Amino acid sequence: MEDMLLLKLGEIVLKGLNRKQFEMKLMGNVTRRLRRFGKCKCYCIQSTLYVEPQEDGFDMDGAMEAVRYIFGIASISRAIACEKDKDAMVEAAKNYLGDALSRAASFKVESRRSDKRFPMTSIEISQYVGGELSEAYPQVPVDVHNPDLTIHVEVRDLAAYVHGPAIPGAGGLPVGSNGRAISLLSGGIDSPVSTYMIAKRGISIYPVHFFSFPYTSELAKQKVLELGGLLTKYCGRMSVIVVPFTHIQEEIREKCPEEYFTLIMRRFMMRIAQQLADMHDAHALVTGENLGQVASQTMEAMAVTQAPIRLPVLQPLMGMDKEEIVTIARRIGTFETSILPYEDCCTVFTPRHPKTRPTLQEIEEAEQVLEVDALVTEAVAGIERIKVGE
């Protein structure tokens, strides 16, 4: 008996004339993610994406696990198709869910009739299938209010489908449906979460990491690559862009007032990220900044930091407290890696008394001793691209 997956669309169903574009992007993402499990057919009808195995040995368990992390899917059901006939539905339920029904303390049947040409209403389908199953499994009582097992019957355009309870999908919009962005990925807790949250809005991510060897170690770099790999199950295939940042930080330490070290460093990060965005046709930058969390994340400091660039800076964590961020990090699986004790470039040359209420004029005056354009060009020329995950 060949089962299949029914992937119910999320907020894509709210789209208007461009809805087809979102559906096509989602189908492409699903097809690519499932390729390693075997040959399958994907198609979209009535706000549902169907995944049908096309060969023996298709790894349905692996596919089921993979689609849980694909943005754009609201719920996932493993189902069996049958003829649009009331008795065929009963037999499909017995064959496909009979073992689960035998073990259940109680059950009910919920039906949905999308094909309005089918002669029975949803209620009539539930009553008929539920009645037949009750006779076949008299030891399992019907409980329409709090059942141990709910059997779902869906009458759709091509066939009827029988399945057990659905599991939640990742929600959001398909990655790639809303453009591209550069995400600044450090080794901390916040930036992987912000990357995840922006990818959930349908944005393809180009993660960028600033590496200051020998002040930051190879272990710190590997930690960031591991974080990037963990994010690929949500974001899709990615390459981490590693930017050599040592020379810039040494120049700042040597020539600029200590209280401005972090702010000037972050202004360089923004300039470099914007150049990388131009190279990749990306239209925004993403950071894990959180208002008031550290000295460089006051409103004045962030305004100064973002002043050199023209692209919008997306900051999805801005209004969250740390516990909320940690909760998401644990849920998406990045927390344990993020707390590994390896430093990143943001902790290099940290000022003892950082400026928290800077003005743009004083920062620009402090930068005048630096060859800004040359340093940015040098850093961009030395980037390394490292594939992670899939």
Side-chain angles (χ1 to χ4, degrees):
M1 181 180 296
E2 290 291 338
D3 51 355
M4 60 188 300
L5 296 180
L6 304 182
L7 312 179
K8 303 296 178 67
L9 306 188
E11 60 182 284
I12 293 175
V13 300
L14 303 177
K15 300 299 178 182
L17 297 177
N18 62 345
R19 173 172 166 175
K20 192 66 176 178
Q21 299 173 22
F22 287 86
E23 293 177 347
M24 294 301 293
K25 178 62 70 173
L26 178 58
M27 278 195 289
N29 292 348
V30 170
T31 300
R32 184 172 60 253
R33 296 279 193 97
L34 298 188
R35 194 172 293 144
R36 67 182 186 272
F37 302 111
K39 187 177 180 181
C40 64
K41 176 182 178 182
C42 296
Y43 54 94
C44 189
I45 303 175
Q46 290 184 319
S47 303
T48 299
L49 185 63
Y50 298 78
V51 177
E52 291 184 0
Q54 298 294 292
E55 63 181 6
D56 293 337
F58 183 83
D59 183 0
M60 184 61 75
D61 291 334
M64 183 85 170
E65 177 67 14
V67 296
R68 289 177 55 208
Y69 305 104
I70 299 178
F71 291 132
I73 298 170
S75 67
I76 304 155
S77 302
R78 192 163 171 170
I80 188 74
C82 66
E83 294 181 16
K84 289 189 282 187
D85 173 82
K86 61 181 183 179
D87 293 317
M89 298 174 201
V90 172
E91 289 306 308
K94 290 179 181 178
N95 294 333
Y96 191 57
L97 296 172
D99 290 342
L101 186 54
S102 297
R103 297 190 300 267
S106 59
F107 84 100
K108 76 170 181 177
V109 175
E110 285 190 359
S111 301
R112 180 181 178 186
R113 184 191 60 156
S114 299
D115 182 1
K116 302 306 180 185
R117 298 168 298 178
F118 190 73
M120 300 172 70
T121 66
S122 297
I123 294 176
E124 289 170 341
I125 295 169
S126 295
Q127 290 174 338
Y128 182 81
V129 175
E132 293 297 306
L133 293 178
S134 183
E135 288 188 12
Y137 300 86
Q139 76 280 13
V140 186
V142 174
D143 184 349
V144 297
H145 299 294
N146 188 31
D148 184 40
L149 172 67
T150 300
I151 296 173
H152 296 266
V153 178
E154 301 187 36
V155 181
R156 294 177 160 269
D157 278 7
L158 301 182
Y161 302 88
V162 175
H163 60 85
I167 64 172
L173 294 170
V175 169
S177 62
N178 262 341
R180 304 169 180 169
I182 295 289
S183 182
L184 277 59
L185 185 63
S186 73
I189 296 171
D190 297 348
S191 60
V193 174
S194 65
T195 301
Y196 158 85
M197 292 179 69
I198 290 300
K200 188 173 182 178
R201 300 313 305 152
I203 295 178
S204 292
I205 296 295
Y206 292 86
V208 172
H209 177 63
F210 295 89
F211 184 51
S212 295
F213 184 82
Y215 303 106
T216 55
S217 67
E218 283 292 333
L219 288 174
K221 178 180 174 181
Q222 290 303 315
K223 171 183 172 180
V224 171
L225 297 178
E226 182 177 341
L227 287 170
L230 292 171
L231 289 169
T232 58
K233 66 181 180 181
Y234 296 101
C235 303
R237 55 192 176 189
M238 298 190 301
S239 291
V240 176
I241 304 171
V242 180
V243 179
F245 207 55
T246 307
H247 188 200
I248 289 174
Q249 289 193 287
E250 290 177 335
E251 286 287 293
I252 294 171
R253 178 187 60 174
E254 181 181 340
K255 298 177 180 179
C256 298
E258 181 184 351
E259 62 183 336
Y260 300 139
F261 281 180
T262 302
L263 295 170
I264 295 174
M265 175 193 73
R266 293 192 65 79
R267 282 164 62 86
F268 270 96
M269 289 180 174
M270 290 293 172
R271 293 182 178 104
I272 293 167
Q274 179 167 275
Q275 285 209 15
L276 294 172
D278 292 342
M279 292 167 58
H280 294 88
D281 194 27
H283 298 99
L285 309 184
V286 182
T287 73
E289 290 169 306
N290 177 253
L291 187 61
Q293 182 170 246
V294 295
S296 63
Q297 294 177 8
T298 64
M299 285 192 287
E300 294 89 343
M302 286 188 288
V304 165
T305 297
Q306 297 173 22
I309 64 171
R310 67 180 184 279
L311 291 178
V313 180
L314 308 180
Q315 300 162 304
L317 310 187
M318 187 56 66
M320 302 174 69
D321 63 38
K322 195 65 177 185
E323 190 57 40
E324 291 173 313
I325 299 170
V326 167
T327 297
I328 297 174
R330 290 184 186 278
R331 176 165 55 82
I332 66 176
T334 57
F335 179 76
E336 295 301 328
T337 301
S338 291
I339 62 174
L340 292 174
Y342 306 125
E343 69 291 334
D344 61 46
C345 73
C346 294
T347 62
V348 175
F349 311 140
T350 302
R352 289 166 294 181
H353 303 289
K355 189 79 169 179
T356 59
R357 300 287 187 265
T359 66
L360 182 58
Q361 180 179 349
E362 62 191 14
I363 294 294
E364 289 178 338
E365 288 175 356
E367 282 183 341
Q368 287 179 0
V369 297
L370 301 171
E371 297 181 7
V372 173
D373 292 342
L375 288 169
V376 170
T377 299
E378 176 190 332
V380 172
I383 63 173
E384 179 185 12
R385 303 175 193 274
I386 303 174
K387 292 182 179 180
V388 292
E390 297 181 342

